[in-house]
Amino acid sequence: MNENSINIKNKYNGGNKTNLKKIGLPLAIIAAVIVMLIPLPGLSSSGHAAIALLIFAIIMWATEAAHLAVTSLIILFIQPIIGIESFDKAVIGFANPILFLMIGGFIMAEAIRKSGLAQRLTYALLSKLGTSPGKGLFVSIFSTGILSAWIENVVAFAMLLPIIKEIVLLMGCTGAEKGKSNYAKAMILGASFGSLAGGFGTEIGTAPNLMAAAYTGIPFVSWMAFGFPLAIVMMFVIWFILGRIFPSEVKGIVGGDSTLKEKINNLGKISRDEKISAAILLFAIFLWISAGYTGIDSYSVALIGAVLFLLTGVISWRDAQTNVDWGLIVFFGGALSLGAALLNTGAADWLIKDLVALMGNDPSTIAIMLVLMVIAVCITQVMSNIALSAIMVPLSVTLAQTQGLAVGTYAVPVAIACSLSFMFPMADPTVAMAYGSGFVNVKEIFKAGLPMVVIGIILTALVMIFWAPMFINA
């Protein structure tokens, strides 16, 4: 990843972006102060301050008043000042294993790109599926989606990232890393969104799914019976919508099939580095899939893969240093720190319980389901979905048991909603990495992500009402 991707894109549409940047900091401070002055009964002073900090961070990130990593640094040192957490507890977000998954994923992705394996896989895929922009976008979404049903979505995205960039080049896109290519925007968000949707398919697809499965005891195959259809439909929705929001400016690979054949021939025989890369990649995938038997977690596997690439000489440490987006790591660590503050101070729990209480004494099952999903979607945009599901899944199970319903009635849709992290870079590492590519900015992510969230809630609710009960109640 080059310097352009580390210095994350700062331009939107002329003066509008500049104006937002100018007013972002004072607006964030004023909003946070107002929240601090509003009485919030039942909430501790530290929780009150955490909610104020949440509002501050959302405004700063949304307006990009400062580099996203800078806002994350503010989140760290401000917590002890306003009485949320001590500094040593505030930096706990940087101990989150997801950051090491991102680092390992970055290194593996660069090694696969540098070895030439990404090129060979790209040409093979396109020669089978076609050379049109629509087919390329299909590859982007469904490749990451299917992989993400079985391995971490961050890893799936990182593995496909070099291939996506290669397809963008083959299509003749210009200025992609400066945010000037619609097709590049669709491709990078397609991979990110596809990885999120693919995780719906199985119990091991995402951490919230595992949390729900642990509390509900739903068999693996039963989850797949409703989860995989939902994932596939959602991936088709992503394919359709991204193609409309970002209509391609290119018509396809110049020269079509003949160009692909020529490029495949020019690659020659598979090289030593390509063979090693393929072997390490397959080994890592095997470890990710067999994690339940080996006990090796996905975070360790990413680092194992990264170290093997370094030890075999496929990639040097200098390459690794250059191509890990450290600004992105700092940004995401700050976001995780904020999520931990909301969790530890009781602010997240307070938000959820009070909003559910506003529904009255006898709300319908569908109403409770939708409200819980909306709460999960809103909070997951700025909080680790693992921490969020740790709060919301047990609450959902308790609500269902109180009403005499199957334990998964609310827990399953809430777990899925925790993964509808489409709207902001801080919502999910894959969205952050898409943003870090420079192909797309925050405004465009929100523009594409909002309809995905709305449709995702509707589709999940429909599946839970009309299809899933026969498997959840079994």
Side-chain angles (χ1 to χ4, degrees):
M1 191 170 291
N2 60 29
E3 191 174 32
N4 288 333
S5 63
I6 296 173
N7 299 320
I8 299 176
K9 188 170 177 280
N10 286 320
K11 293 182 180 178
Y12 289 161
N13 296 317
N16 290 336
K17 172 65 185 297
T18 303
N19 292 336
L20 281 174
K21 285 175 69 72
K22 287 181 178 178
I23 68 170
L25 179 57
L27 181 62
I29 293 172
I30 292 169
V33 170
I34 290 173
V35 171
M36 286 294 291
L37 294 175
I38 297 172
L40 298 177
L43 188 61
S44 66
S45 60
S46 59
H48 197 153
I51 290 178
L53 182 58
L54 171 65
I55 299 301
F56 173 85
I58 289 173
I59 294 173
M60 288 289 288
W61 281 327
T63 61
E64 287 187 283
H67 190 292
L68 301 192
V70 175
T71 299
S72 287
L73 292 176
I74 295 172
I75 288 171
L76 296 181
F77 73 71
I78 206 70
Q79 288 189 48
I81 293 174
I82 62 176
I84 297 176
E85 294 277 20
S86 61
F87 188 81
D88 60 337
K89 291 183 179 179
V91 295
I92 196 68
F94 287 88
N96 193 298
I98 198 72
L99 296 182
F100 294 94
L101 187 66
M102 291 175 71
I103 292 169
F106 274 131
I107 294 173
M108 290 181 67
E110 176 58 18
I112 293 166
R113 183 205 64 78
K114 188 180 179 184
S115 71
L117 182 63
Q119 279 187 321
R120 195 175 293 275
L121 290 173
T122 301
Y123 300 155
L125 277 171
L126 292 175
S127 65
K128 299 292 183 183
L129 294 174
T131 60
S132 69
K135 295 291 179 60
L137 183 56
F138 184 92
V139 168
S140 175
I141 295 167
F142 280 81
S143 296
T144 53
I146 298 302
L147 273 175
S148 292
W150 308 101
I151 65 176
E152 286 281 352
N153 65 334
V154 183
V155 179
F157 180 85
M159 288 194 301
L160 271 294
L161 185 57
I163 295 176
I164 292 162
K165 291 185 175 181
E166 189 69 27
I167 293 175
V168 166
L169 289 173
L170 283 172
M171 292 291 177
C173 299
T174 57
E177 291 193 349
K178 296 180 180 179
K180 295 181 178 179
S181 169
N182 262 2
Y183 185 64
K185 296 177 197 298
M187 286 289 287
I188 202 76
L189 288 179
S192 172
F193 292 176
S195 70
L196 290 168
F200 303 164
T202 67
E203 288 181 353
I204 61 173
T206 67
N209 289 8
L210 281 169
M211 186 75 68
Y215 275 92
T216 62
I218 297 172
F220 191 93
V221 175
S222 296
W223 187 293
M224 286 184 64
F226 61 82
F228 241 103
L230 175 61
I232 297 297
V233 171
M234 193 64 197
M235 283 189 274
F236 273 110
V237 168
I238 292 167
W239 186 45
F240 178 82
I241 291 180
L242 286 180
R244 270 62 184 173
I245 293 178
F246 303 113
S248 177
E249 77 279 13
V250 294
K251 301 300 180 184
I253 296 174
V254 179
D257 290 333
S258 60
T259 299
L260 279 178
K261 289 178 182 178
E262 181 182 347
K263 286 187 174 292
I264 291 172
N265 290 333
N266 289 340
L267 287 176
K269 293 183 178 180
I270 187 166
S271 68
R272 167 194 172 274
D273 281 359
E274 286 179 274
K275 290 178 182 177
I276 292 174
S277 296
I280 294 173
L281 181 59
L282 289 173
F283 178 61
I285 291 173
F286 167 75
L287 289 180
W288 277 313
I289 293 174
S290 61
Y293 300 99
T294 64
I296 304 174
D297 58 68
S298 57
Y299 315 108
S300 298
V301 175
L303 294 180
I304 290 169
V307 169
L308 286 175
F309 277 118
L310 290 164
L311 292 177
T312 54
V314 175
I315 188 175
S316 69
W317 180 245
R318 183 175 295 276
D319 293 325
Q321 282 181 303
T322 303
N323 293 288
V324 172
D325 192 336
W326 298 107
L328 203 61
I329 300 297
V330 171
F331 154 61
F332 212 76
L336 290 170
S337 175
L338 177 58
L342 293 169
L343 177 64
N344 296 335
T345 60
D349 193 45
W350 179 86
L351 281 170
I352 294 165
K353 287 183 177 178
D354 272 38
L355 287 173
V356 171
L358 290 174
M359 298 178 64
N361 296 325
D362 192 27
S364 69
T365 300
I366 296 174
I368 292 177
M369 182 189 300
L370 290 172
V371 167
L372 288 173
M373 289 179 69
V374 170
I375 293 171
V377 163
C378 290
I379 300 179
T380 199
Q381 306 306 318
V382 292
M383 182 178 181
S384 163
N385 63 5
I386 301 172
L388 179 60
S389 63
I391 299 170
M392 293 202 64
V393 167
L395 174 65
S396 301
V397 168
T398 301
L399 282 171
Q401 289 174 331
T402 301
Q403 295 179 313
L405 302 171
V407 290
T409 302
Y410 302 134
V412 171
V414 160
I416 293 171
C418 286
S419 298
L420 292 174
S421 311
F422 297 111
M423 294 196 295
F424 294 106
M426 54 279 196
D428 187 81
T430 65
V431 185
M433 291 166 73
Y435 179 82
S437 71
F439 288 8
V440 64
N441 60 41
V442 174
K443 183 180 178 182
E444 290 160 342
I445 292 172
F446 182 80
K447 178 183 177 182
L450 182 59
M452 305 299 181
V453 167
V454 173
I455 293 172
I457 290 174
I458 294 170
L459 286 176
T460 302
L462 290 174
V463 167
M464 292 306 303
I465 294 167
F466 297 108
W467 178 245
M470 68 180 76
F471 305 101
I472 290 176
N473 298 332

